[in-house]
Amino acid sequence: MSQDQWTRVDEYWAGLFVPSDAALDGAQSASHAAGLPAISVAANQGKFLALLAQMQGARRVLEVGTLGGYSTIWLARALPPEGRVVTLELDPKHAQVARQNLARAGVESRVEIRVGRALDSLAALHAEGVAPFDFAFIDADKQSIPEYFEWALKLAKPGSVIVVDNVVRRGAVLDEASADPNVLGVRRFNELLAKTPGVSATAIQTVGSKGYDGFALIRVTG
Ligand code: SAH
Ligand code: DHB
Ligand code: MG
């Protein structure tokens, strides 16, 4: 079993289930050309998120971590015409690239990008009393995942779904002695999730073109 094999299986599936698309391909090439890191979800993972959002009947989606808007396009396309994605991004350059990518995909009217520290944007959304989100995707810096999860819960309602990316980190999640802030964030999140009342949660390990990692899946029960 090797990275090369995982990547080829992802490509095989992408060829079958995720037909190539000018807007998604354009988002990846424009992001690369602008020097953004190649850390978006893979095509089959983007479709996985879109399917989860549709199964949930999501109309309001919160995303923490926009990058070039690749996952944002998948999520925006999964929504009904009146649906809305609010996506949070620290880096104005990433947000600018995302804006162009979202426009090329024709979903810019459904997406609001808020630029700034996600913790500040989440507090602002809460203070504004925005309507609850029925789907959240947490995919920004890993040291703050626990706080992003707490805000996502505050901005949710019973039945909402929260997906957290990168909860395995090539197995580093097991390393109790790790001093890596990313690993510490993921471990702190797992411990918080385990003791949070009013949620039902699991986590799934994944391999593929993005390496060995995983998603946590949370349903807000009340
Ligand atoms: N969801 C995207 C990938 C996001 S990569 C996709 O799959 O296509 C993570 C992003 O989080 C980066 O763009 C990074 O700039 C952003 N980020 C990092 N720290 C942040 C913070 N404190 N607040 C908001 N965004 C942050
Ligand atoms: C990496 C991957 C991610 O999905 C992410 O959100 C951040 C970083 C990485 O491979 O480094
Ligand atoms: Mg990620």
Side-chain angles (χ1 to χ4, degrees), residues 39-41 63 65-67 70-71 88-91 94 116-118 137 139-141 148:
I39 57 174
S40 74
V41 294
E63 178 176 67
T66 315
L67 191 65
Y70 182 77
S71 54
L88 312 181
E89 175 54 53
L90 174 65
D91 188 325
H94 294 186
R117 293 173 62 232
F137 179 48
D139 189 26
D141 58 299
Y148 297 150

Side-chain angles (χ1 to χ4, degrees), residues 39-41 137-140 142 165-166 169 213 215:
I39 57 174
S40 74
V41 294
F137 179 48
I138 297 177
D139 189 26
K142 310 310 165 191
D165 195 21
N166 309 115
R169 310 290 304 183
D213 216 318
F215 293 106

